[in-house]
């Protein structure tokens, strides 16, 4: 015997009322979402900005040879973002720089006091090279995207190590926009980084010139990086292979061969070792030469793959 009773008018009325309440709730939620502003944040590698803007305007990357109006250029970045994202609100600008023992310099203190700016510090080594900045950028970018705190991220930098952060942020639904500063006679941003981002924009001499001033009476050791002309691509590729051969001899085939599954990328720590070793051999910094750093890795991999 079937115990199921036919639905009566009262049940249908209650069901219709429930559906109506659900529809009203969904309408309210969709209306709130549609009117909620998007949010963006800017992640600025200060070392990149100093080096690229200094070279473009004054011909040198030596910070001792010029002054950068950090407050002015940060405000210019904010204004540019307002134009590009007119319906979005700024969360904040993250300014990443290096400092001895992560203790703020007077300049960094002034920047930290600016509204909507958060200063994040990595270390400076004995050669005044930044350490830990890329990892800070990766951590903040991924965390904010994961928690849906931002819908758009402006990344101002050029290091290939940031590719994984871009991929992670995009995986959480954020769009990543790479901004850079014009490089005389080449590029100062890694191509893999340019390939991964959602958009790219480059600022020229006219944009940068108001914020960079050469110091009177201060001489830098050269007009580019303080070390004479940059090495050629052939020289850098050869040094990459030279380091690979040295590591094969010192660390063994098993250790070096363990890097092959990650081709064409190197683990961050190993990549830094390669860069440091190459700079020692070349007697020239490659920190702001994204194109030459890529050639260095190519030379390294060419030799490693030729041995397996």
């Amino acid at each position: 015997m079937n115990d199921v009773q036919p639905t009566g008018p009262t049940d249908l009325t209650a069901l219709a009322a429930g559906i109506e309440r659900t529809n009203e709730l969904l309408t309210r939620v969709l209306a709130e979402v549609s009117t909620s502003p998007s949010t963006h944040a800017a992640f600025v590698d200060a070392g990149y900005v100093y080096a690229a803007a200094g070279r473009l305007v004054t011909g040198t990357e030596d910070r001792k040879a010029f002054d950068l109006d950090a407050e002015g250029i940060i405000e210019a970045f904010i204004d540019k973002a307002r134009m590009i994202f007119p319906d979005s609100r700024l969360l904040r600008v993250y300014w990443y720089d290096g400092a001895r023992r992560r203790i703020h310099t007077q300049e960094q203190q002034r920047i930290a006091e600016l509204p909507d700016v958060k200063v994040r510090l990595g270390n400076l080594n004995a050669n005044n090279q930044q350490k830990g900045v890329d990892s800070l950028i990766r951590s903040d970018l991924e965390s904010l995207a994961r928690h849906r705190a931002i819908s758009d991220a402006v990344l101002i930098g050029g290091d290939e190590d940031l590719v994984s952060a871009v991929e992670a942020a995009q995986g959480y639904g954020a769009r990543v926009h790479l901004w850079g500063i014009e490089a005389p006679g080449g590029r100062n941003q890694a191509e893999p980084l340019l390939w991964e981002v959602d958009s790219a924009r480059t600022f020229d001499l006219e944009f940068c010139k108001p914020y960079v001033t050469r110091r009177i009476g201060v001489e830098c050791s050269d007009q580019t990086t303080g070390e004479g002309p940059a090495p050629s691509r052939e020289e850098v590729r050869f040094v990459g292979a030279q380091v690979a051969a040295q590591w094969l001899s010192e660390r063994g085939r098993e250790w070096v061969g363990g890097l092959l599954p990650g081709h064409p990328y190197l683990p961050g720590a190993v990549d830094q070792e390669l860069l440091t070793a190459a700079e020692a051999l070349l007697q020239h910094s490659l920190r702001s030469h994204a194109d030459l750093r890529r050639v260095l890795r190519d030379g390294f991999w060419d030799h490693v793959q030729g041995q397996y």
Side-chain angles (χ1 to χ4, degrees), residues 35 38 44 67 74 93 125 150 218 222 226 258 269 292 306:
T35 57
S38 300
V44 186
D67 290 307
I74 288 172
V93 175
N125 65 15
I150 55 173
V218 177
D222 74 300
L292 293 181

Side-chain angles (χ1 to χ4, degrees), residues 80-151:
K80 184 63 68 173
R82 288 196 187 106
M83 295 173 57
I84 297 172
F85 311 115
D87 300 322
S88 177
R89 69 178 183 87
L90 173 69
L91 177 65
R92 67 181 59 89
V93 175
Y94 291 86
W95 183 265
Y96 301 89
D97 206 355
R100 302 287 184 194
R101 300 187 299 279
R102 291 192 172 94
I103 299 174
H104 291 67
T105 65
Q106 289 186 349
E107 181 183 27
Q108 290 163 346
Q109 290 175 9
R110 289 194 297 270
I111 296 171
E113 292 172 357
L114 297 175
D116 301 320
V117 177
K118 173 71 173 179
V119 172
R120 298 272 275 149
L121 295 179
N123 273 317
L124 279 181
N125 65 15
N127 297 318
N128 288 324
Q129 297 165 340
Q130 291 182 165
K131 296 294 182 181
V133 166
D134 287 348
S135 63
L136 290 174
I137 297 176
R138 286 198 301 270
S139 175
D140 289 340
L141 177 55
E142 183 174 347
S143 177
L144 291 174
R146 182 173 66 251
H147 291 96
R148 302 292 193 270
I150 55 173
S151 53

Side-chain angles (χ1 to χ4, degrees), residues 89-287:
R89 69 178 183 87
L90 173 69
L91 177 65
R92 67 181 59 89
V93 175
Y94 291 86
W95 183 265
Y96 301 89
D97 206 355
R100 302 287 184 194
R101 300 187 299 279
R102 291 192 172 94
I103 299 174
H104 291 67
T105 65
Q106 289 186 349
E107 181 183 27
Q108 290 163 346
Q109 290 175 9
R110 289 194 297 270
I111 296 171
E113 292 172 357
L114 297 175
D116 301 320
V117 177
K118 173 71 173 179
V119 172
R120 298 272 275 149
L121 295 179
N123 273 317
L124 279 181
N125 65 15
N127 297 318
N128 288 324
Q129 297 165 340
Q130 291 182 165
K131 296 294 182 181
V133 166
D134 287 348
S135 63
L136 290 174
I137 297 176
R138 286 198 301 270
S139 175
D140 289 340
L141 177 55
E142 183 174 347
S143 177
L144 291 174
R146 182 173 66 251
H147 291 96
R148 302 292 193 270
I150 55 173
S151 53
D152 292 270
V154 173
L155 179 60
I156 305 176
D159 203 307
E160 186 174 341
D161 291 345
L162 297 173
V163 168
S164 61
V166 172
E167 293 174 333
Q170 290 170 330
Y172 291 116
R175 290 175 57 81
V176 183
H177 312 272
L178 182 65
W179 291 3
I181 293 172
E182 181 182 344
R187 281 181 172 174
N188 54 24
Q189 293 174 299
E191 282 188 353
L193 187 60
L194 289 163
W195 298 335
E196 293 298 332
V197 296
D198 296 290
S199 71
R201 180 178 300 268
T202 302
F203 297 108
D204 59 13
L205 177 62
E206 183 179 356
F207 176 90
C208 298
K209 198 170 183 178
Y211 311 110
V212 181
T213 307
R214 178 178 283 279
R215 292 177 180 170
I216 304 300
V218 177
E219 295 185 2
C220 58
S221 51
D222 74 300
Q223 293 296 305
T224 54
T225 62
E227 299 158 322
S232 68
R233 296 171 67 89
E234 291 73 20
E235 290 175 311
V236 174
R237 183 181 291 271
F238 175 79
V239 166
Q242 187 177 355
V243 174
Q246 181 180 346
W247 286 3
L248 274 167
S249 173
E250 295 175 352
R251 307 183 184 190
R253 294 175 58 86
E254 183 176 350
W255 186 90
V256 177
L259 302 173
L260 280 170
H263 181 270
Y265 300 112
L266 285 169
V270 177
D271 188 58
Q272 287 298 313
E273 283 189 83
L274 172 62
L275 181 61
T276 301
E279 288 175 336
L281 291 170
L282 290 164
Q283 293 297 298
H284 197 287
S285 174
L286 302 179
R287 303 286 158 158

